[in-house]
Amino acid sequence: MQSANVLLKKIIRNSVLPFAAQHGMKKDLFPLSRTLSLSLCLKQDNSGSPSGKLDLDEWKKVMKSGLQEEVSETVSKQKEHSALAAAREILEMWRLAGRSVPENITEEQLKTFMECPSKSAKKKYLKYLHLKEVHKKNDKRKMDEKRERRLEAQKQASETDETKRNSFMFLWANAMDKAYSWRVAQSMIFGQPLIFDMSYEKDMSVREVTNAVRQIVLSESCNRKSVDPFHLHFCNLKDDSLYQKEFIKHYREAWGKLLVTVTDQCYTDIFPKDKLIYLTADSPKVMKTFDHDKIYIIGSMVDKSIKTGVSLARAKRLGLETAALPLEKYLLWNAGAKNLTLDQMMHILLTLKDTGDWKKALEFVPKRKYCGFVNKPVHELKKTLSLINTLKFGKRQEEARRQFAKNYSKKLIQK
Amino acid sequence: VQPPEKPLQAEEWNKLRESFQSPEIFEEVMFNSMVRYNSPIDVAKSLLTHMAKSNGDIAYNLLLKYLALCVQQGQTSEICDVYDILKIRFKILESGAYNLLIKGLTNSDKWRMALTLLEEVKKNMTPSRTNYESCIKAASRHQEMNLAFELYHEMLANDLVPTLDILQAFFDFSRGMKGAELQKELFGILSYLRENQIYPHKTFMRSIKLWFESIPGENWKGHLTNIKDSGQCPVCNHQLEDSDLTQEEYNNLRERITRDVIHGTDTFRKTSPQEFEAFQAFVENRLPFDIVIDGLNVSHIKPRRMQCENLFDAVNCLAKDNARLLVLGRKHMLINSSNWKREIMKEMQNKADFFFAENISEDDAFLLYATLRSGQHCKFVTRDFLRDHKASLSDSLTRHLFRKWQRGHQIEFSPSADGKHINFTPAFRYDCVVQTTGDTWHIPYKDSFEEKYSYRAPRKWLCIQQQR
């Protein structure tokens, strides 16, 4: 109802002519504005002549004449006025002012918005909703286009046996699904366990938990499709936890049929401690090879504010061995934190398990984070890297030149 | 796009619009560049008129941009007209419009209207601190100091942090005015600076000085000076407050450091309970220390030398006068390596107590604990600014306490010019905050506005004294 009103308002404001048609039922409420708008059209016709002095303040008259419609509408709306409605109005004004604000907002989102502790938190939340809306719209448009294209193609190929092939495709996908499930089921008996530790809910915001679950869903799917899947364990997963709720949101009925082991027990209760290795970027130990007899643990934590040492603290508390990926050793690190997303970890571990090839495995580290694989001594590469960076960001050019000159003269002296 | 210089007719605008690559945002782009080039408002008006006639309406964001242009040029009557129009067309306005209106009106003789606007803003949200800034400046410019202070207290009550400009305006516009109430308010601002450890910049300091000197019949005189290391003011020979915390503050800080910095959300993040207990027992057995040294930090001072030699120099340097030293390090220092020679380590352990933490533990937390446990006289040595530890404290009051304690107890060091030995900069013996004794004021100030290294206390002071 609210948004309908807003829409109406917009139509009224933007064009004069459709006004009467849109407001057929309300017509008797504001006869005055109607005549005004008609007179407006007349005025427009008159001003068509090129000669004559410009009346610079004429726009004010036009703007002020729009008065009646607004007033009558406010009168009709006043009864549903509340804090929520006020917030909605402010949002609408922000949208008109050109800020990133979603067009439609649900009651629930509005409440979250009002509960944001600060102005910047509010701004961020609105921007997030706005972007989400834009993405959704784009996706929908693309889907529609695709459907249209498909319908057209079908029309063109209605005589040929296109339909048969489609059903074959369907059967094939079905068979693949079955094959995958078979493999995962086997891994649940014979496969190497891999543990996702679900004990970080209190360290994360709601959005971080949502993201973590999405990453786990991606990891699970790539595990299912791999040649030799892990036997996934979701440990420390409590009933009614946020994780659980998000999982059910993602998988719906499939959650019960998922071929993973879900438990609220800790991994230390299930497996012998000396077999467990906790993977964390903060670990002082660097992983050298992938061990097929060990059980690796990944902390299911998305940590946008870089809380260092949370998972390391957990491993320390339980007295477990820890390890970090040898990112420094194989990659010339450029920018970004060394903690990777859960699905990236999954890809890397699967590749290691199948091939043991670090170079191949570390292909899954996002390209923006590193500049290349290490094939020369690291310190030499670092020098070129800093040179590249200074050339890229002109600001520090001067500094680089000075540094270079210093190094260069040092070299000369050494010779 | 370059906006036209003269108002255009409708056809001319149409032509321009069609030649523009994306006509749907033509008006927006045009208004933006009008604001940028500060075009005459008649040009903007002609575009508005053209739009009003062809569409029957002007979008809200374009009205805002026009308003910005008017504010930029101080066109008060236009601002009022736009406000009237906005009021008619829209039930409520958002903050962008209010910001512009308030800014525009406070710079004119209609500044009182801005106050009613401020009231309007309050109905829907808290006004921003710049809203208050405009209004307070306008009120004090018109010598309505009571009103200005009323607004100032209101914004403090709303948890807004006043800009330095606001505070300066109070001193600027109270110059030469007499009144006990006014004086009390301005002293209140000075104590706000003291409580929040804010240092005024040079021009602000000058405003304070001029205000003091302008109070009729009180005969204040201000001098710029540098305070000696002893804490004595060279102008009036007054001894500044020392940097010691009260016993209650001190205990409070110690508790909070243990709770927030060492334990935090999880003791395992910085150390482990066993290790911390062992450390506590170690410290209790050997109390009290005079100087606690961050061994690894000191050992990196001269990169060309062996790390244990650096540490050895520092220990020798500090071990004078029978000072009891505690050096904190990590276990890897005990393994004989190219940087850590066993013999030198042995020799050092005769001169100072050593505690070696696990390699993955944080020694800074131990440093703070050992220093605080030893009492007020104990100092610590590190080049670390300890900002991350300050940040782990949960409230600003404790953070201020920490800052004060750090200023008074941290010994910083640097290699000497010839690189042969280490220079130690002693901790401040006096407290670096705004302070008064009634007939003197001492105010530390920053040289420029931009200087924002919060860890560096200023060395320059304004000394104001009343001559009788």
Side-chain angles (χ1 to χ4, degrees):
Chain A
M1 181 59 202
Q2 275 275 322
S3 54
N5 265 339
V6 170
L7 197 71
L8 275 183
K9 233 196 280 178
K10 241 181 16 196
I11 291 166
I12 292 164
R13 228 178 270 133
N14 289 340
S15 60
V16 188
L17 285 178
F19 175 68
Q22 292 283 343
H23 276 250
M25 74 299 189
K26 274 199 196 170
K27 210 190 303 182
D28 48 343
L29 264 177
F30 16 55
L32 184 59
S33 56
R34 206 179 155 201
T35 48
L36 267 176
S37 52
L38 281 177
S39 67
L40 248 173
C41 296
L42 290 175
K43 228 186 251 165
Q44 195 181 339
D45 288 347
N46 289 344
S47 62
S49 55
S51 64
K53 212 177 148 284
L54 263 173
D55 179 4
L56 288 173
D57 286 333
E58 204 174 337
W59 61 278
K60 293 182 189 167
K61 278 179 232 152
V62 176
M63 291 303 286
K64 283 177 184 172
S65 69
L67 154 76
Q68 262 68 25
E69 25 172 292
E70 288 298 328
V71 169
S72 45
E73 216 168 316
T74 37
V75 169
S76 67
K77 247 175 23 179
Q78 235 159 25
K79 54 187 164 203
E80 54 167 339
H81 208 87
S82 66
L84 277 180
R88 212 178 266 280
E89 276 167 8
I90 287 267
L91 286 193
E92 175 58 17
M93 290 313 288
W94 278 345
R95 208 174 63 74
L96 289 180
R99 296 209 209 172
S100 328
V101 169
E103 252 172 74
N104 303 304
I105 186 164
T106 63
E107 199 109 311
E108 204 176 322
Q109 287 168 336
L110 205 58
K111 270 179 196 149
T112 327
F113 163 73
M114 285 163 67
E115 278 158 15
C116 286
S118 68
K119 273 185 189 172
S120 60
K122 280 183 181 167
K123 233 186 247 176
K124 266 186 206 157
Y125 182 64
L126 287 178
K127 193 169 177 198
Y128 158 73
L129 290 180
H130 172 71
L131 285 179
K132 212 165 120 182
E133 200 175 47
V134 167
H135 286 311
K136 218 172 189 177
K137 250 187 216 158
N138 281 342
D139 286 350
K140 192 168 184 302
R141 198 188 35 140
K142 275 182 203 155
M143 287 270 281
D144 287 346
E145 277 170 15
K146 208 172 159 190
R147 184 179 306 134
E148 234 158 74
R149 249 181 291 140
R150 202 177 53 216
L151 281 179
E152 212 145 280
Q154 257 176 20
K155 217 183 269 169
Q156 275 173 8
S158 56
E159 296 95 44
T160 62
D161 52 356
E162 191 77 14
T163 43
K164 232 183 218 168
R165 226 174 71 191
N166 266 346
S167 72
F168 167 72
M169 290 283 281
F170 176 72
L171 279 177
W172 188 66
N174 215 356
M176 282 308 281
D177 270 351
K178 269 191 189 144
Y180 289 147
S181 306
W182 177 243
R183 245 173 4 209
V184 182
Q186 267 195 318
S187 86
M188 285 190 74
I189 309 169
F190 306 111
Q192 181 178 6
L194 181 74
I195 298 169
F196 281 94
D197 179 9
M198 308 284 185
S199 56
Y200 295 102
E201 203 169 293
K202 63 175 194 318
D203 294 305
M204 286 191 277
S205 68
V206 177
R207 260 172 76 190
E208 282 171 333
V209 175
T210 321
N211 290 351
V213 168
R214 183 174 304 155
Q215 290 177 12
I216 296 172
V217 171
L218 286 175
S219 317
E220 189 271 329
S221 93
C222 85
N223 182 56
R224 191 187 333 149
K225 286 173 190 158
S226 73
V227 192
D228 181 18
F230 284 107
H231 174 192
L232 294 187
H233 285 73
F234 295 171
C235 290
N236 291 320
L237 185 63
K238 304 274 179 291
D239 280 341
D240 290 328
S241 62
L242 209 50
Y243 281 117
Q244 168 111 351
K245 277 177 203 151
E246 284 294 324
F247 272 125
I248 290 171
K249 225 188 245 173
H250 267 283
Y251 283 111
R252 296 171 205 218
E253 305 86 67
W255 174 240
K257 290 183 265 177
L258 212 58
L259 293 174
V260 297
T261 302
V262 178
T263 168
D264 61 351
Q265 276 182 304
C266 188
Y267 29 83
T268 45
D269 300 335
I270 311 176
F271 300 106
K273 262 192 186 181
D274 54 329
K275 287 232 161 182
L276 295 170
I277 294 185
Y278 212 113
L279 293 175
T280 161
D282 295 319
S283 171
K285 283 194 202 94
V286 173
M287 202 168 150
K288 288 211 177 70
T289 49
F290 182 87
D291 192 336
H292 294 269
D293 290 331
K294 295 278 186 193
I295 297 158
Y296 290 97
I297 308 168
I298 301 175
S300 309
M301 179 179 179
V302 169
D303 140 28
K304 288 193 169 153
S305 51
I306 310 292
K307 303 181 193 85
T308 45
V310 175
S311 52
L312 183 65
R314 213 177 145 65
K316 261 204 260 173
R317 178 191 295 277
L318 297 169
L320 299 178
E321 206 181 314
T322 60
L325 292 182
L327 298 173
E328 286 275 81
K329 193 177 156 201
Y330 289 95
L331 301 176
L332 182 58
W333 204 258
N334 180 25
K338 298 233 167 66
N339 50 1
L340 302 176
T341 62
L342 304 173
D343 48 317
Q344 284 159 11
M345 281 305 280
M346 191 74 195
H347 277 293
I348 290 172
L349 291 176
L350 280 171
T351 319
L352 280 178
K353 187 152 102 88
D354 293 342
T355 63
D357 182 354
W358 278 107
K359 196 171 168 190
K360 223 172 181 180
L362 294 182
E363 290 277 329
F364 290 101
V365 176
K367 294 273 181 295
R368 67 187 140 78
K369 289 196 175 185
Y370 64 95
C371 295
F373 282 88
V374 174
N375 41 12
K376 281 188 264 180
V378 176
H379 62 94
E380 217 169 282
L381 281 171
K382 264 191 185 151
K383 235 183 255 166
T384 18
L385 175 64
S386 72
L387 208 69
I388 289 167
N389 270 343
T390 42
L391 288 178
K392 219 162 38 182
F393 313 109
K395 283 185 246 169
R396 277 176 283 154
Q397 219 163 350
E398 193 57 49
E399 195 189 295
R401 207 175 298 142
R402 226 179 302 130
Q403 195 68 36
F404 183 75
K406 207 168 138 195
N407 285 344
Y408 191 63
S409 61
K410 228 182 258 167
K411 241 182 232 166
L412 285 182
I413 290 165
Q414 276 169 4
K415 275 176 190 167
Chain B
V1 278
Q2 181 104 30
E5 276 158 27
K6 282 196 203 89
L8 298 186
Q9 295 283 354
E11 298 79 51
E12 295 169 294
W13 279 120
N14 269 336
K15 227 179 269 166
L16 257 183
R17 188 174 198 270
E18 273 153 29
S19 66
F20 189 66
Q21 46 191 349
S22 41
E24 60 276 9
I25 55 160
F26 169 72
E27 286 87 1
E28 221 180 315
V29 174
M30 186 50 85
F31 269 111
N32 278 345
S33 63
M34 280 182 195
V35 172
R36 189 171 342 117
Y37 290 101
N38 208 8
S39 305
I41 56 164
D42 280 354
V43 180
K45 276 184 180 178
S46 78
L47 178 55
L48 286 173
T49 305
H50 165 61
M51 281 160 54
K53 278 204 265 183
S54 50
N55 304 331
D57 192 20
I58 297 164
Y60 181 72
N61 61 337
L62 299 181
L63 283 175
L64 278 195
K65 286 183 198 224
Y66 175 64
L67 184 58
L69 188 66
C70 297
V71 170
Q72 193 170 305
Q73 301 182 0
Q75 303 275 3
T76 314
S77 69
E78 278 303 305
I79 295 172
C80 294
D81 280 354
V82 176
Y83 176 59
D84 286 343
I85 288 168
L86 289 175
K87 265 326 246 191
I88 291 169
R89 300 296 305 230
F90 303 99
K91 209 169 108 195
I92 54 161
L93 302 183
E94 46 76 62
S95 44
Y98 280 122
N99 286 346
L100 284 168
L101 288 168
I102 290 177
K103 197 172 159 217
L105 290 171
T106 47
N107 285 324
S108 71
D109 49 354
K110 292 200 173 169
W111 63 275
R112 271 180 202 282
M113 219 175 120
L115 297 177
T116 52
L117 281 177
L118 192 70
E119 290 305 313
E120 253 182 72
V121 178
K122 278 185 226 161
K123 276 182 210 158
N124 286 315
M125 52 205 149
T126 7
S128 70
R129 64 183 198 151
T130 43
N131 287 161
Y132 275 110
E133 181 183 312
S134 307
C135 291
I136 289 174
K137 274 185 172 171
S140 45
R141 197 179 303 126
H142 294 86
Q143 301 293 309
E144 298 249 6
M145 297 317 283
N146 286 339
L147 177 62
F149 275 111
E150 210 172 288
L151 290 170
Y152 169 67
H153 291 301
E154 191 180 295
M155 76 181 287
L156 288 186
N158 279 332
D159 277 340
L160 292 171
V161 178
T163 60
L164 286 183
D165 273 11
I166 295 181
L167 305 180
Q168 191 182 347
F170 281 123
F171 285 94
D172 279 340
F173 293 109
S174 311
R175 209 173 288 165
M177 285 162 84
K178 199 169 165 61
E181 198 54 38
L182 179 73
Q183 206 159 326
K184 209 176 119 199
E185 288 283 11
L186 289 168
F187 285 160
I189 291 178
L190 289 176
S191 69
Y192 178 84
L193 294 181
R194 174 189 170 88
E195 275 148 31
N196 293 288
Q197 305 191 21
I198 299 169
Y199 306 120
H201 49 84
K202 211 170 190 172
T203 49
F204 184 8
M205 177 275 297
R206 216 162 269 149
S207 301
I208 297 174
K209 180 169 179 276
L210 288 176
W211 172 73
F212 266 106
E213 290 171 341
S214 77
I215 305 173
E218 298 215 345
N219 210 13
W220 289 93
K221 195 83 195 94
H223 294 278
L224 305 188
T225 179
N226 294 314
I227 302 288
K228 296 176 197 159
D229 279 346
S230 61
Q232 202 182 34
C233 170
V235 181
C236 62
N237 289 328
H238 173 70
Q239 182 69 34
L240 294 190
E241 287 174 37
D242 64 34
S243 54
D244 283 351
L245 304 171
T246 65
Q247 199 54 46
E248 194 185 342
E249 285 173 334
Y250 192 78
N251 293 342
N252 190 12
L253 180 65
R254 194 168 71 198
E255 258 165 54
R256 297 299 297 275
I257 291 274
T258 318
R259 200 182 79 197
D260 293 346
V261 178
I262 297 172
H263 294 301
T265 51
D266 188 348
T267 317
F268 284 95
R269 278 177 73 174
K270 286 190 175 151
T271 165
S272 69
Q274 295 90 330
E275 188 182 32
F276 186 58
E277 256 169 50
F279 176 69
Q280 271 179 314
F282 172 88
V283 171
E284 295 305 321
N285 281 335
R286 290 168 175 77
L287 278 177
F289 298 105
D290 297 318
I291 300 174
V292 183
I293 301 166
D294 183 346
L296 280 171
N297 192 295
V298 172
S299 71
H300 283 101
I301 179 142
K302 279 179 271 175
R304 306 224 151 231
R305 289 189 69 194
M306 222 192 291
Q307 288 176 15
C308 64
E309 279 181 344
N310 279 333
L311 184 58
F312 189 65
D313 287 353
V315 169
N316 276 339
C317 214
L318 293 164
K320 289 166 197 155
D321 314 325
N322 287 330
R324 286 182 54 78
L325 303 183
L326 169 63
V327 181
L328 293 168
R330 295 220 177 93
K331 288 211 164 126
H332 71 77
M333 292 158 69
L334 286 172
I335 300 165
N336 202 11
S337 67
S338 61
N339 261 322
W340 299 99
K341 290 276 168 266
R342 190 165 284 152
E343 309 83 66
I344 303 181
M345 290 303 283
K346 274 261 166 59
E347 200 178 336
M348 267 192 281
Q349 287 181 40
N350 295 329
K351 298 192 174 180
D353 281 312
F354 273 73
F355 183 84
F356 297 99
E358 293 293 333
N359 293 337
I360 52 169
S361 294
E362 277 210 31
D363 46 1
D364 286 351
F366 293 146
L367 178 85
L368 295 177
Y369 180 84
T371 315
L372 281 164
R373 187 69 194 85
S374 295
Q376 293 256 27
H377 72 284
C378 182
K379 308 280 194 285
F380 63 95
V381 185
T382 177
R383 270 199 294 190
D384 198 305
F385 299 121
L386 306 175
R387 280 175 288 210
D388 48 341
H389 304 295
K390 189 183 85 161
S392 348
L393 293 167
S394 50
D395 68 303
S396 66
L397 195 73
T398 324
R399 268 181 245 153
H400 284 317
L401 275 185
F402 181 76
R403 203 22 105 234
K404 182 177 175 178
W405 175 76
Q406 188 188 356
R407 275 200 305 266
H409 293 83
Q410 180 164 13
I411 298 175
E412 289 177 48
F413 57 89
S414 51
S416 64
D418 55 4
K420 289 221 176 85
H421 42 255
I422 303 173
N423 289 334
F424 290 94
T425 326
F428 276 100
R429 245 185 260 171
Y430 54 93
D431 195 16
C432 200
V433 285
V434 175
Q435 45 192 281
T436 180
T437 57
D439 56 355
T440 63
W441 280 88
H442 287 91
I443 298 165
Y445 67 92
K446 296 185 290 187
D447 242 344
S448 65
F449 182 70
E450 292 85 33
E451 211 180 299
K452 41 182 149 183
Y453 300 112
S454 64
Y455 52 85
R456 193 148 287 157
R459 296 268 172 174
K460 297 192 170 176
W461 288 73
L462 167 67
C463 159
I464 304 172
Q465 53 185 139
Q466 198 169 22
Q467 268 131 19
R468 303 226 181 243

